[in-house]
Amino acid sequence: VSDYGRALRWMVMLRPIAPNARQRDVFNATAIGFSAVVLFGRAGELVRPYLIAKAAHVTIMSQIAAWFLERIYDTLIVLAIFGYTLAVVVPVAGNLGPNLQWLITRGGWFTGVACSLCLALLVGLQRYSDRLEQRLVDALGFLHQHHHEKAERLVRAGMDGLRSARSVRSIIELMIYSALEWWIIYLCFVAIFRAFPETTGLSASSILVYIGFVAFGSIVQIPGIGGGIQIVSIIVLTELFHIGIEPATSIALATWAVTLVGIVPVGIVLGFRQGLSLRKIKELGS
């Protein structure tokens, strides 16, 4: 459901430049792309925009820009939520010492406010993407004509991804889909924590803090085994929420399986149906 929601959000950015794009193609590319990330590491991130660009007959640069825009939305939203909840949860959790509590609380408020302001700035850049494009083209005026023309084409192709979602309706749809996306993810973590007796009593704000830390950990993705997400999960559960190492390890593995590995069987089947082998998917990512 989460990956299907990501496909719906991507369609908001794709339709203005590819009205005939099919939702099914975007979902297939999303499933295959996230499977590539799990199997081959962060190099697999480029699989999804490549497959979408190929299916919708648009430039790869425009879809890389859409991917970048999606990542910024996700990062700013989760960091804003993480910051605000961190500022509230840490003083309640206690057992960290007054100096560390003060540092984490102030850092939480700073992160929450800063990411909220950056999100507002991003919306402004989307609304005035034409001006931003012209400023970037003018800034490249020092290049020779041949190189300037090539750089200008790249800038315009890249700005297509930002410009495609600049209408008020598109921005509202992006915000709604992003909110629903993280609501689904939050419910997944609620279900995971309720499955373990040690975490059934955690509050909603504690779960949001955990999600924020896990989002940081997922940046480090070792092909096939995850890595960062499990380590961060264990540290947060044992040090911040004072849960034993055994249940913390089990929860970390469940988190990795539910949030990342679950899409892999679907992605592999869809990839084979499109004539893609694992070697071909790996080549696309590299």
Side-chain angles (χ1 to χ4, degrees), residues 75-91:
T75 301
L76 292 178
I77 289 175
V78 73
L79 285 181
I81 296 174
F82 170 66
Y84 290 132
T85 52
L86 188 65
V88 174
V89 171
V90 170

Side-chain angles (χ1 to χ4, degrees), residues 8-30:
L8 293 177
R9 182 172 58 178
W10 198 293
M11 288 296 296
V12 176
M13 299 180 287
L14 183 61
R15 279 201 180 103
I17 59 175
N20 297 323
R22 299 188 301 177
Q23 185 175 299
R24 182 180 64 184
D25 293 335
V26 175
F27 173 74
N28 291 348
T30 300

Side-chain angles (χ1 to χ4, degrees), residues 32 265-279 281:
I32 297 170
V266 178
I268 291 177
V269 171
L270 292 175
F272 286 160
R273 288 183 60 183
Q274 293 189 19
L276 297 174
S277 63
L278 290 177
R279 176 182 293 181
I281 294 175

Side-chain angles (χ1 to χ4, degrees), residues 1-106:
V1 174
S2 173
D3 292 324
Y4 182 73
R6 291 182 183 275
L8 293 177
R9 182 172 58 178
W10 198 293
M11 288 296 296
V12 176
M13 299 180 287
L14 183 61
R15 279 201 180 103
I17 59 175
N20 297 323
R22 299 188 301 177
Q23 185 175 299
R24 182 180 64 184
D25 293 335
V26 175
F27 173 74
N28 291 348
T30 300
I32 297 170
F34 278 110
S35 299
V37 172
V38 176
L39 296 174
F40 309 119
R42 284 301 166 189
E45 288 278 11
L46 295 179
V47 172
R48 181 164 50 131
Y50 172 83
L51 292 177
I52 293 175
K54 182 179 178 181
H57 305 291
V58 295
T59 63
I60 180 63
M61 280 300 300
S62 68
Q63 296 314 289
I64 291 178
W67 168 81
F68 188 64
L69 181 62
E70 180 198 58
R71 280 286 163 265
I72 293 177
Y73 262 99
D74 277 341
T75 301
L76 292 178
I77 289 175
V78 73
L79 285 181
I81 296 174
F82 170 66
Y84 290 132
T85 52
L86 188 65
V88 174
V89 171
V90 170
V92 176
N95 300 323
L96 294 177
N99 293 332
L100 185 57
Q101 283 194 24
W102 181 89
L103 178 63
I104 294 179
T105 302
R106 296 300 184 275

